[in-house]
Amino acid sequence: MSEQAQGSAPRRIFIDKQSPKAFHALVQTSEAVRTTAAEAGLDRTTVELINLRVSQVNGCAYCLDLHTRKALRAGESPQRLGVLAAWRDTDVFTAAERAALGLAEAANDPTDTAAQTSAYATARRVLTDDQISAVTWVAITIGAFNRVSIMSRHPVPAPRQAEPVD
């Protein structure tokens, strides 16, 4: 009897594995975006904050796990990661980071033109043209990876050994 006939949801295919050429093109885009971000002066922690915030909004558990680890390796603090979902309600992020997070959220919801207008105006005051472009590309790219992982239902790996807390 098939999974579906037994009442359970059908097993998802990992579309990255099923269509490796298409996924490789997305990976190449991500690599180009990472270079663009660095050339625009966005540090790795800012890029990871964008990756995490868009992944939070999209509800992508796999990308949240992956980019939390990357952010910590890049030097991001556990405190800032812990309050990222409420970044508007805290002063632990710089003006540039706040502008980037707002713009990334706006890029993730193209139907909210009021939010886009507001976020873009803030970004224009704080970020360079190259940084605005890079932030937008980072948000678009992680959004695509979120969709790959969500549609594939990529599993979050088993927990690792806990690191000591200060």
Side-chain angles (χ1 to χ4, degrees):
M1 190 177 292
S2 74
E3 286 180 89
Q4 203 163 11
Q6 294 175 357
S8 63
R11 181 189 64 80
R12 300 278 181 109
I13 60 167
F14 287 1
I15 63 171
D16 49 328
K17 305 290 190 249
Q18 188 68 31
S19 305
K21 287 181 184 178
F23 185 71
H24 182 69
L26 183 57
V27 170
Q28 287 180 308
T29 299
S30 176
E31 290 167 358
V33 168
R34 187 176 313 119
T35 299
T36 297
E39 289 172 350
L42 295 179
D43 62 26
R44 192 71 204 155
T45 57
T46 301
V47 170
E48 291 306 335
L49 289 173
I50 295 164
N51 286 335
L52 282 165
R53 184 62 192 133
V54 171
S55 296
Q56 286 174 338
V57 170
N58 288 331
C60 183
Y62 181 86
C63 293
L64 284 166
D65 177 66
L66 175 69
H67 290 285
T68 296
R69 287 184 280 115
K70 286 185 173 191
L72 289 167
R73 279 196 305 271
E76 188 53 78
S77 76
Q79 177 198 25
R80 285 170 29 113
L81 293 177
V83 299
L84 180 59
W87 65 269
R88 287 179 178 85
D89 300 325
T90 180
D91 294 328
V92 301
F93 300 101
T94 68
E97 290 166 338
R98 295 170 71 78
L101 291 168
L103 188 59
E105 286 181 2
N108 196 56
D109 184 2
T111 63
D112 190 345
T113 56
Q116 279 186 17
T117 300
S118 175
Y120 203 87
T122 299
R124 293 294 292 162
R125 289 190 298 272
V126 180
L127 303 174
T128 68
D129 291 355
D130 287 342
Q131 290 171 331
I132 290 171
S133 181
V135 165
T136 305
W137 276 110
V138 171
I140 290 168
T141 306
I142 190 61
F145 279 109
N146 290 164
R147 282 152 182 79
V148 168
S149 289
I150 290 166
M151 290 305 297
S152 298
R153 290 213 178 130
H154 286 154
V156 174
R160 291 158 188 74
Q161 179 76 15
E163 294 183 20
V165 178
D166 295 327

